[in-house]
Amino acid sequence: MERDPNCVFCKILDGEIPSAKIYEDEKVLSFLDIAPFNYGHTLIIPKYHAHGISDLPEEYRNAVFAAAAKLAPAVMHATGAAGFNLLMNNGETAGQTVPHAHLHIIPRFADDKVLLGASQKQYQGTELAEMQAKIQAKIAAREA
Ligand code: AMP
């Protein structure tokens, strides 16, 4: 759907809630995150209400990532960041608090201690091959 009247990001799109806009085109709006991990933390939202990447129409999905490629260098130069993360939380369990698909551009600085706490696991025995087959089967079933 184009808009959800209860969605905070749809309200930003409709100008009902202000935002510090940094970029806009036909398909996306980009503005500063109100509670940044680092100053300059930027959000890109599609002008279409979908919860996450998988239910976002392709033209909006492409526009969000095209905007990220364009805006991230500007965010880096403006902030003096040494790098950046592109982050997209999909689902509450993954940390999504606003159920309107959006991409974060998070400028990063040496030793900024942002996004800590992740630990990587190790597959044992045949677990990796089993997981590979399971996901591939789901992809094949969806494409069939
Ligand atoms: P997520 O946790 O991935 O759903 O990210 C939602 C982000 O939206 C958070 O980083 C919030 O700080 C940000 N946010 C929520 N409301 C606003 C707002 N009115 N203006 C700017 N950023 C917002």
Side-chain angles (χ1 to χ4, degrees):
M1 91 181 95
E2 295 286 329
R3 294 285 189 276
D4 176 341
N6 299 314
C7 167
V8 63
F9 285 175
C10 286
K11 288 180 180 171
I12 287 177
L13 287 174
D14 288 339
E16 291 171 36
I17 294 180
S19 69
K21 179 168 91 175
I22 62 164
Y23 175 80
E24 181 170 19
D25 64 28
E26 194 197 327
K27 296 267 187 304
V28 306
L29 175 70
S30 177
F31 51 90
L32 292 178
D33 194 298
I34 206 166
F37 285 123
N38 276 324
Y39 298 127
H41 179 167
T42 296
L43 299 176
I44 302 168
I45 68 172
K47 293 183 173 179
Y48 185 100
H49 184 83
H51 282 209
I53 190 167
S54 298
D55 55 345
L56 192 59
E58 189 176 4
E59 73 257 37
Y60 288 93
R61 191 163 70 223
N62 291 344
V64 165
F65 283 94
K70 188 191 312 216
L71 302 182
V75 171
M76 276 186 61
H77 285 119
T79 58
F84 63 92
N85 293 104
L86 289 183
L87 173 71
M88 189 175 194
N89 296 324
N90 281 262
E92 257 180 74
T93 310
Q96 186 174 12
T97 57
V98 178
H100 180 127
H102 54 279
L103 195 58
H104 299 252
I105 301 173
I106 304 169
R108 298 299 305 273
F109 303 88
D111 302 321
D112 63 11
K113 299 187 170 52
V114 166
L115 303 175
L116 284 181
S119 66
Q120 289 180 274
K121 300 180 170 42
Q122 276 202 312
Y123 289 107
Q124 306 295 330
T126 58
E127 286 176 347
L128 186 142
E130 284 165 18
M131 183 56 68
Q132 178 188 20
K134 206 167 163 181
I135 296 173
Q136 283 180 333
K138 292 289 178 197
I139 295 168
R142 283 175 158 233
E143 286 176 353

